[in-house]
Amino acid sequence: MGLVVQKYGGSSVADAEGIKRVAKRIVEAKKNGNDVVVVVSAMGDTTDELIDLAEQVSPIPAGRELDMLLTAGERISMALLAMAIKNLGHKAQSFTGSQAGVITDSVHNKARIIDVTPGRIRTALDEGNIAIVAGFQGVSQDKKDITTLGRGGSDTTAVALAAALDAEVCEIYTDVDGVFTADPRVVKKARKIDWISFEDMLELAASGSKVLLHRCVEYARRYNIPIHVRSSFSGLQGTWVSSEPIQQGDKKVEQAIISGVAHDTSEAKITVVGVPDKPGEAASIFRAIADAEINIDMVVQNVSAAATGLTDISFTLPKTEGRKGIDALNKAKTAIGFDSLRYDDQIGKISLVGAGMKTNPGVTAAFFEALSDAGVNIELISTSEIRISVVTRADDVPEAVRAVHTAFGLDSASDEAVVYGGTGR
Ligand code: ADP
Ligand code: ASP
Ligand code: MG
């Protein structure tokens, strides 16, 4: 008898019908002889609605209280799901993150899991239950406060539990049939990927493919937990994310040269204007940002104007951290000695990802040609060994993604990619 962890995203449990449909699927897995642990997200867009509500009472809600509020979303779905399963004649018990032993650090709104002690889940399974765990939440080790793991964090809960319980597989059920070569909401001709390595998936996730959260893939790679991403609305095989290629018939699936195109419109750009061009300036700027616990993405320093000895430094960060970033820099303005700050939240990022880039010359050239043919202007560029990213105007993103997808021969000839649910919010 195996142990499987299944995670159902918000769009899969958007309403009572969805919860009943998912309950049937879970019971099937149990009937097939597995021990089943289910991680569930908040229903539909509940988390967004709760954030909107919080912002109506306070423009910058206190982190601790926001976590307390947001974790209510997953509590609702876990309890309803346990009820629906019992209604089908099976034993089920729901658990909050804290009850399930998800221990985190104390950084509110984006806590990191530092330990998982799933004693109660084990006992529930041993007693014949299906265990339902609220995703996206934990309890801080030092203060014993309720924390959340950052948006999309239920994916991480699922993989962390799968690792702690030594599960055979972590199944991530969502509203599309797997990981595609681009977001099916943007590229109708996106193709489903049968297998993708942890490395390529990490880059896609880090570049904005929200079908899997970056931290969840990091965790899965560290503990070597295979992930199967699939739809809760169809019975199709999805995408396997694992260290070794899967077998199809008597052949191994080949590693693609290019895995896909990702896009992200959740970032903003801060430009620090008029920075003295001398050692230590970049250090003080990014120290101020780091001390505010903000993660940055791309950095560009312009050539200094010889006449003035001043330069501009631009960097990107999550829009949700924009105000905090500006405040942190303004506080350090005298110490750093810059002229002014510019804030731009109308940017988008497009990334091309694939391990084959390392050994195939011309990928970068073809990427820039595709953008140029689509008339897209590039503002920032960054690369890794297996990724090229550019920042453009946010409005240009859909067109740019489609152009790059076509240029690299990723368009499928036949089926349009299906999106079964969700609002894409
Ligand atoms: P869930 O609520 O199940 O966690 P998410 O909305 O977080 O679902 O993630 C699924 C969505 O991710 C899809 O509906 C799709 O729009 C988006 N997405 C972005 N990039 C990709 C990709 N490369 N492949 C599949 N889906 C993607
Ligand atoms: N409900 C949370 C969110 O919307 C966590 C998740 O769905 O994974 O971000
Ligand atoms: Mg998600």
Side-chain angles (χ1 to χ4, degrees):
M1 192 153 117
L3 190 155
V4 294
V5 174
Q6 301 189 328
K7 177 255 170 177
Y8 292 90
S11 51
S12 297
V13 291
D15 51 21
E17 280 317 306
I19 288 180
K20 288 198 270 184
R21 185 174 50 81
V22 163
K24 279 197 200 132
R25 205 165 178 139
I26 295 167
V27 164
E28 283 310 310
K30 174 77 179 162
K31 280 192 191 155
N32 287 339
N34 298 295
D35 271 341
V36 186
V37 176
V38 175
V39 172
V40 70
S41 291
M43 294 170 73
D45 290 331
T46 302
T47 308
D48 290 295
E49 286 155 14
L50 291 173
I51 291 173
D52 289 349
L53 192 58
E55 286 173 352
Q56 284 171 42
V57 291
S58 163
I60 306 183
R64 179 184 184 279
E65 304 314 323
L66 188 61
D67 277 351
M68 210 55 135
L69 177 71
L70 296 188
T71 50
E74 269 72 11
R75 257 179 119 118
I76 294 171
S77 49
M78 74 182 197
L80 289 172
L81 192 52
M83 289 174 199
I85 292 171
K86 283 182 196 229
N87 193 48
L88 296 174
H90 287 260
K91 286 173 77 178
Q93 271 184 353
S94 64
F95 298 90
T96 63
S98 166
Q99 289 175 322
V102 180
I103 319 280
T104 71
D105 63 19
S106 46
V107 183
H108 283 293
N109 311 150
K110 52 178 179 191
R112 269 185 183 272
I113 297 177
I114 49 184
D115 196 11
V116 182
T117 51
R120 290 193 67 178
I121 304 297
R122 279 255 181 244
T123 309
L125 293 175
D126 291 346
E127 290 169 358
N129 286 288
I130 294 169
I132 316 287
V133 179
F136 171 60
Q137 54 179 269
V139 61
S140 66
Q141 192 168 47
D142 49 357
K143 297 193 185 134
K144 306 283 177 275
D145 272 329
I146 297 301
T147 53
T148 62
L149 308 176
R151 298 307 308 271
S154 298
D155 293 348
T156 317
T157 308
V159 169
L161 273 171
L165 293 163
D166 204 13
E168 281 172 12
V169 56
C170 180
E171 296 186 318
I172 304 275
Y173 285 92
T174 183
D175 56 9
V176 288
D177 280 314
V179 180
F180 284 71
T181 48
D183 185 343
R185 285 178 206 271
V186 175
V187 182
K188 291 284 167 234
K189 289 187 163 187
R191 264 194 283 135
K192 190 178 82 188
I193 300 169
D194 293 325
W195 169 78
I196 182 167
S197 65
F198 284 130
E199 284 65 33
D200 279 22
M201 193 62 232
L202 266 179
E203 290 281 358
L204 280 178
S207 309
S209 295
K210 68 168 183 159
V211 61
L212 279 184
L213 195 72
H214 180 249
R215 271 191 193 170
C216 134
V217 187
E218 247 173 16
Y219 216 101
R221 180 171 65 167
R222 187 171 343 133
Y223 293 95
N224 202 16
I225 305 290
I227 303 179
H228 187 188
V229 183
R230 55 196 308 197
S231 167
S232 71
F233 298 82
S234 80
L236 298 175
Q237 273 284 310
T239 301
W240 284 88
V241 188
S242 59
S243 51
E244 287 298 318
I246 54 161
Q247 202 74 26
Q248 260 181 357
D250 51 8
K251 276 203 303 226
K252 283 207 163 176
V253 174
E254 300 248 334
Q255 163 97 49
I257 294 175
I258 298 297
S259 284
V261 188
H263 72 275
D264 190 357
T265 48
S266 70
E267 293 187 342
K269 180 172 77 174
I270 291 181
T271 302
V272 190
V273 181
V275 182
D277 195 5
K278 60 177 174 42
E281 288 297 311
S284 353
I285 289 173
F286 293 109
R287 173 50 57 204
I289 292 294
D291 287 348
E293 287 178 345
I294 297 171
N295 290 319
I296 57 155
D297 182 13
M298 293 186 182
V299 180
V300 171
Q301 173 169 343
N302 294 340
V303 182
S304 120
T308 57
L310 296 177
T311 182
D312 296 347
I313 294 181
S314 299
F315 64 92
T316 60
L317 75 176
K319 274 182 197 166
T320 48
E321 308 274 32
R323 189 192 289 241
K324 221 169 43 162
I326 293 284
D327 288 351
L329 288 171
N330 273 328
K331 255 191 223 143
K333 184 171 181 189
T334 331
I336 304 171
F338 59 85
D339 283 344
S340 58
L341 297 174
R342 261 190 243 135
Y343 184 70
D344 180 357
D345 62 1
Q346 294 304 306
I347 60 162
K349 184 173 73 170
I350 299 125
S351 306
L352 183 71
V353 171
M357 250 178 231
K358 279 189 271 195
T359 45
N360 282 270
V363 170
T364 309
F367 179 66
F368 288 131
E369 278 156 14
L371 293 172
S372 143
D373 291 347
V376 174
N377 190 44
I378 298 167
E379 301 181 14
L380 305 180
I381 302 171
S382 91
T383 59
S384 82
E385 259 196 320
I386 62 167
R387 173 187 53 79
I388 318 169
S389 304
V390 293
V391 166
T392 67
R393 289 292 90 204
D395 289 347
D396 285 337
V397 165
E399 189 51 41
V401 172
R402 286 191 282 267
V404 171
H405 196 266
T406 304
F408 281 89
L410 298 173
D411 288 354
S412 75
S414 51
D415 297 338
E416 295 215 325
V418 186
V419 178
Y420 297 92
T423 58
R425 191 168 170 184

mmCIF file of all heavy atoms in Angstrom, residues 337-353:
data_model
loop_
_atom_site.group_PDB
_atom_site.id
_atom_site.type_symbol
_atom_site.label_atom_id
_atom_site.label_comp_id
_atom_site.label_asym_id
_atom_site.label_seq_id
_atom_site.Cartn_x
_atom_site.Cartn_y
_atom_site.Cartn_z
ATOM 1 N N GLY A 337 22.787 58.954 -0.790
ATOM 2 C CA GLY A 337 23.115 60.155 -1.548
ATOM 3 C C GLY A 337 22.676 60.145 -2.988
ATOM 4 O O GLY A 337 23.398 60.584 -3.873
ATOM 5 N N PHE A 338 21.463 59.619 -3.268
ATOM 6 C CA PHE A 338 20.936 59.676 -4.641
ATOM 7 C C PHE A 338 20.026 60.901 -4.800
ATOM 8 O O PHE A 338 19.687 61.564 -3.816
ATOM 9 C CB PHE A 338 20.191 58.381 -4.982
ATOM 10 C CG PHE A 338 19.023 58.062 -4.067
ATOM 11 C CD1 PHE A 338 17.765 58.603 -4.289
ATOM 12 C CD2 PHE A 338 19.191 57.213 -2.968
ATOM 13 C CE1 PHE A 338 16.696 58.304 -3.462
ATOM 14 C CE2 PHE A 338 18.125 56.915 -2.132
ATOM 15 C CZ PHE A 338 16.879 57.464 -2.373
ATOM 16 N N ASP A 339 19.625 61.175 -6.079
ATOM 17 C CA ASP A 339 18.766 62.338 -6.331
ATOM 18 C C ASP A 339 17.295 62.031 -6.089
ATOM 19 O O ASP A 339 16.612 62.736 -5.358
ATOM 20 C CB ASP A 339 18.896 62.787 -7.808
ATOM 21 C CG ASP A 339 20.185 63.537 -8.040
ATOM 22 O OD1 ASP A 339 20.793 63.957 -7.046
ATOM 23 O OD2 ASP A 339 20.585 63.678 -9.217
ATOM 24 N N SER A 340 16.806 60.984 -6.781
ATOM 25 C CA SER A 340 15.370 60.712 -6.698
ATOM 26 C C SER A 340 15.095 59.250 -7.026
ATOM 27 O O SER A 340 16.000 58.509 -7.429
ATOM 28 C CB SER A 340 14.621 61.596 -7.697
ATOM 29 O OG SER A 340 15.118 61.343 -8.995
ATOM 30 N N LEU A 341 13.821 58.855 -6.853
ATOM 31 C CA LEU A 341 13.414 57.486 -7.150
ATOM 32 C C LEU A 341 12.313 57.515 -8.196
ATOM 33 O O LEU A 341 11.459 58.404 -8.174
ATOM 34 C CB LEU A 341 12.861 56.811 -5.883
ATOM 35 C CG LEU A 341 13.836 56.634 -4.725
ATOM 36 C CD1 LEU A 341 13.094 56.097 -3.506
ATOM 37 C CD2 LEU A 341 14.962 55.674 -5.115
ATOM 38 N N ARG A 342 12.334 56.544 -9.103
ATOM 39 C CA ARG A 342 11.225 56.390 -10.060
ATOM 40 C C ARG A 342 10.625 55.012 -9.862
ATOM 41 O O ARG A 342 11.355 54.032 -9.692
ATOM 42 C CB ARG A 342 11.740 56.531 -11.492
ATOM 43 C CG ARG A 342 11.491 57.917 -12.038
ATOM 44 C CD ARG A 342 11.778 57.966 -13.517
ATOM 45 N NE ARG A 342 12.874 58.880 -13.754
ATOM 46 C CZ ARG A 342 13.900 58.642 -14.542
ATOM 47 N NH1 ARG A 342 13.991 57.498 -15.195
ATOM 48 N NH2 ARG A 342 14.843 59.536 -14.697
ATOM 49 N N TYR A 343 9.302 54.952 -9.902
ATOM 50 C CA TYR A 343 8.608 53.683 -9.687
ATOM 51 C C TYR A 343 7.733 53.390 -10.899
ATOM 52 O O TYR A 343 6.962 54.242 -11.335
ATOM 53 C CB TYR A 343 7.736 53.776 -8.431
ATOM 54 C CG TYR A 343 7.063 52.485 -8.073
ATOM 55 C CD1 TYR A 343 7.794 51.407 -7.582
ATOM 56 C CD2 TYR A 343 5.685 52.323 -8.231
ATOM 57 C CE1 TYR A 343 7.181 50.212 -7.258
ATOM 58 C CE2 TYR A 343 5.065 51.121 -7.904
ATOM 59 C CZ TYR A 343 5.817 50.074 -7.414
ATOM 60 O OH TYR A 343 5.211 48.881 -7.091
ATOM 61 N N ASP A 344 7.874 52.195 -11.457
ATOM 62 C CA ASP A 344 7.133 51.839 -12.670
ATOM 63 C C ASP A 344 6.519 50.458 -12.480
ATOM 64 O O ASP A 344 7.239 49.457 -12.387
ATOM 65 C CB ASP A 344 8.125 51.832 -13.847
ATOM 66 C CG ASP A 344 7.459 51.468 -15.167
ATOM 67 O OD1 ASP A 344 6.247 51.172 -15.173
ATOM 68 O OD2 ASP A 344 8.176 51.481 -16.191
ATOM 69 N N ASP A 345 5.178 50.397 -12.400
ATOM 70 C CA ASP A 345 4.566 49.074 -12.215
ATOM 71 C C ASP A 345 3.872 48.589 -13.487
ATOM 72 O O ASP A 345 3.087 47.648 -13.447
ATOM 73 C CB ASP A 345 3.623 49.051 -11.010
ATOM 74 C CG ASP A 345 2.460 49.999 -11.169
ATOM 75 O OD1 ASP A 345 2.364 50.668 -12.226
ATOM 76 O OD2 ASP A 345 1.637 50.073 -10.238
ATOM 77 N N GLN A 346 4.185 49.203 -14.605
ATOM 78 C CA GLN A 346 3.585 48.768 -15.879
ATOM 79 C C GLN A 346 4.583 47.949 -16.699
ATOM 80 O O GLN A 346 4.680 48.110 -17.908
ATOM 81 C CB GLN A 346 3.126 49.997 -16.680
ATOM 82 C CG GLN A 346 1.988 50.751 -16.012
ATOM 83 C CD GLN A 346 0.793 49.851 -15.743
ATOM 84 O OE1 GLN A 346 0.293 49.200 -16.650
ATOM 85 N NE2 GLN A 346 0.350 49.774 -14.496
ATOM 86 N N ILE A 347 5.363 47.130 -16.015
ATOM 87 C CA ILE A 347 6.341 46.315 -16.729
ATOM 88 C C ILE A 347 5.914 44.841 -16.742
ATOM 89 O O ILE A 347 5.068 44.426 -15.949
ATOM 90 C CB ILE A 347 7.748 46.390 -16.083
ATOM 91 C CG1 ILE A 347 7.706 45.887 -14.636
ATOM 92 C CG2 ILE A 347 8.298 47.809 -16.139
ATOM 93 C CD1 ILE A 347 9.072 45.530 -14.082
ATOM 94 N N GLY A 348 6.500 44.077 -17.658
ATOM 95 C CA GLY A 348 6.265 42.637 -17.704
ATOM 96 C C GLY A 348 7.572 41.955 -18.034
ATOM 97 O O GLY A 348 8.488 42.592 -18.569
ATOM 98 N N LYS A 349 7.666 40.673 -17.683
ATOM 99 C CA LYS A 349 8.909 39.944 -17.951
ATOM 100 C C LYS A 349 8.584 38.719 -18.797
ATOM 101 O O LYS A 349 7.589 38.036 -18.526
ATOM 102 C CB LYS A 349 9.535 39.523 -16.624
ATOM 103 C CG LYS A 349 10.880 38.850 -16.773
ATOM 104 C CD LYS A 349 11.531 38.618 -15.421
ATOM 105 C CE LYS A 349 10.863 37.503 -14.641
ATOM 106 N NZ LYS A 349 11.607 37.104 -13.446
ATOM 107 N N ILE A 350 9.385 38.472 -19.810
ATOM 108 C CA ILE A 350 9.222 37.276 -20.652
ATOM 109 C C ILE A 350 10.515 36.489 -20.567
ATOM 110 O O ILE A 350 11.594 37.056 -20.708
ATOM 111 C CB ILE A 350 8.952 37.656 -22.115
ATOM 112 C CG1 ILE A 350 7.666 38.465 -22.208
ATOM 113 C CG2 ILE A 350 8.846 36.436 -23.013
ATOM 114 C CD1 ILE A 350 7.846 39.747 -22.880
ATOM 115 N N SER A 351 10.390 35.180 -20.330
ATOM 116 C CA SER A 351 11.591 34.348 -20.185
ATOM 117 C C SER A 351 11.492 33.116 -21.061
ATOM 118 O O SER A 351 10.432 32.498 -21.159
ATOM 119 C CB SER A 351 11.758 33.884 -18.738
ATOM 120 O OG SER A 351 11.737 34.983 -17.864
ATOM 121 N N LEU A 352 12.608 32.767 -21.651
ATOM 122 C CA LEU A 352 12.717 31.530 -22.420
ATOM 123 C C LEU A 352 13.586 30.585 -21.591
ATOM 124 O O LEU A 352 14.661 30.986 -21.129
ATOM 125 C CB LEU A 352 13.388 31.832 -23.765
ATOM 126 C CG LEU A 352 13.511 30.667 -24.735
ATOM 127 C CD1 LEU A 352 12.140 30.291 -25.301
ATOM 128 C CD2 LEU A 352 14.444 31.024 -25.895
ATOM 129 N N VAL A 353 13.104 29.336 -21.398
ATOM 130 C CA VAL A 353 13.800 28.410 -20.497
ATOM 131 C C VAL A 353 14.114 27.089 -21.201
ATOM 132 O O VAL A 353 13.244 26.545 -21.890
ATOM 133 C CB VAL A 353 12.922 28.127 -19.251
ATOM 134 C CG1 VAL A 353 13.520 27.002 -18.402
ATOM 135 C CG2 VAL A 353 12.747 29.386 -18.421
#
